[in-house]
């Protein structure tokens, strides 16, 4: 095939030297296949790319990450990051004919790659929500991980919770915990007398009847959602619940105020001050 053929409408370049027909979708899996096509034997998709394919949430990363054996060549190409593994009994799976790090292994790979404690917890929550791994499997892998970041991975794995709906909810829970406040229950459900599902809350202190809810932007931009939220909160307030609503600008621009608001609510509901001491370690992860 000539260069003229490849540059025509029938083909599309995925990476330098790698082309597909125009009918092939331009998505993450196809770019991962292309990277493996020109990689050393034994290579597999890893790190951010593997996490995304498994349904995990990580900080934005457009490059494809692959890992090759220690004695394999590192064929560097624009848009591809090549890692090498040493003394690692890799846990590699196959998804849609792609060799890929297991969910637990890519969690630990990203710890080695410097992902923060909070971002690792967000990743763990999202992988568990995608039903591709359990928190126990993350803990087991992290505790035996030989690479850098093993301590952070082990700590983050123990902070992963099932049932979290979104990264902001995970980050809000982590802010509360790292600040030293009691950990709220995730997705607490109130049921009708017959046991049917009635209401579900993001974060909750059931014994104190305190709700902590994260409102995404759609809660403000959708009038019907806004009206439903108001009606729901008025109903809960009549039942005696105290509701603390946290929005995006609160969490990302004024985290200290978030911690203070939640602490005051706990104190108002009778929690001893000894259990509401704010620790400064949250600042390293959430400094505005």
């Amino acid at each position: 095939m000539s260069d003229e053929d490849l540059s025509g409408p029938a083909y599309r370049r995925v990476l330098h030297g790698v082309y597909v027909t125009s009918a092939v979708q331009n998505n993450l899996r196809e770019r991962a296949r292309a990277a493996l096509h020109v990689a050393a034997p034994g290579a597999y998709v890893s790190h951010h790319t593997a996490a995304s394919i498994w349904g995990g949430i990580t900080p934005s990363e457009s490059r494809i990450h692959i890992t090759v054996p220690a004695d394999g060549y590192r064929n560097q190409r624009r848009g591809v990051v090549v890692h090498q593994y040493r003394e690692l009994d890799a846990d590699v799976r196959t998804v849609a004919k792609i060799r890929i790090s297991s969910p637990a292994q890519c969690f630990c790979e990203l710890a080695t790659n410097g992902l923060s404690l909070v971002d690792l917890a967000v990743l763990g929550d999202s992988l568990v929500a995608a039903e591709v791994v359990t928190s126990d499997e993350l803990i087991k892998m992290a505790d035996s991980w030989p690479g850098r970041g093993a301590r952070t991975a082990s700590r983050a794995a123990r902070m992963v919770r099932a049932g979290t709906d979104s990264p902001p909810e995970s980050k809000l829970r982590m802010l509360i915990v790292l600040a030293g406040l009691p950990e709220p229950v995730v997705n607490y459900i109130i049921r009708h007398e017959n046991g049917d599902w009635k209401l579900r809350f993001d974060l909750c202190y059931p014994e104190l009847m305190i709700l902590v809810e994260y409102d995404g932007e759609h809660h403000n931009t959708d009038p019907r959602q806004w009206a439903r939220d108001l009606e729901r909160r008025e109903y809960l307030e009549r039942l005696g619940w105290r509701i603390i609503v946290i929005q995006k600008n609160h969490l990302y621009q004024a985290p200290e105020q978030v911690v203070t608001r939640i602490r005051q609510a706990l104190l108002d509901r009778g929690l001893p001050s000894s259990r509401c001491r704010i620790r400064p370690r949250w600042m390293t992860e959430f400094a505005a």
Side-chain angles (χ1 to χ4, degrees), residues 107 116-126 156 159-160 173-174:
F107 176 86
S116 70
L117 176 67
V118 171
D119 284 336
L120 279 172
V122 170
L123 171 59
D125 282 356
S126 60
M159 292 180 168
V160 170
R173 186 187 78 249
M174 289 294 292

Side-chain angles (χ1 to χ4, degrees), residues 64-196:
I64 299 298
H65 288 252
I66 64 172
T67 295
V68 300
D71 57 353
Y73 57 84
R74 301 182 66 172
N75 190 352
Q76 299 284 7
R77 298 189 182 219
R78 180 177 296 180
V80 179
V81 179
V82 182
H83 307 267
Q84 285 183 305
Y85 63 81
R86 296 176 176 83
E87 300 178 359
L88 173 64
D89 185 13
D91 183 12
V92 179
R93 313 284 175 84
T94 300
V95 175
K97 299 182 180 180
I98 301 172
R99 281 171 50 81
I100 182 174
S101 297
S102 71
Q105 179 168 303
C106 68
F107 176 86
C108 294
E109 288 168 346
L110 285 168
T112 296
N113 209 46
L115 208 64
S116 70
L117 176 67
V118 171
D119 284 336
L120 279 172
V122 170
L123 171 59
D125 282 356
S126 60
L127 289 171
V128 170
E131 298 183 347
V132 295
V133 73
T134 67
S135 57
D136 287 341
E137 289 170 338
L138 292 176
I139 292 171
K140 182 178 179 181
M141 177 67 76
D143 286 350
S144 61
W145 186 248
R148 292 184 297 107
R151 181 176 298 180
T152 301
S154 183
R155 185 181 174 198
R158 286 168 169 77
M159 292 180 168
V160 170
R161 298 291 179 266
T164 303
D165 291 331
S166 68
E169 288 179 23
S170 296
K171 290 185 177 182
L172 177 55
R173 186 187 78 249
M174 289 294 292
L175 172 62
I176 295 170
V177 171
L178 292 176
L181 300 178
E183 181 175 349
V185 177
V186 175
N187 277 339
Y188 181 76
I189 297 176
I190 291 180
R191 299 184 180 276
H192 291 285
E193 292 182 0
N194 64 1
D196 290 343

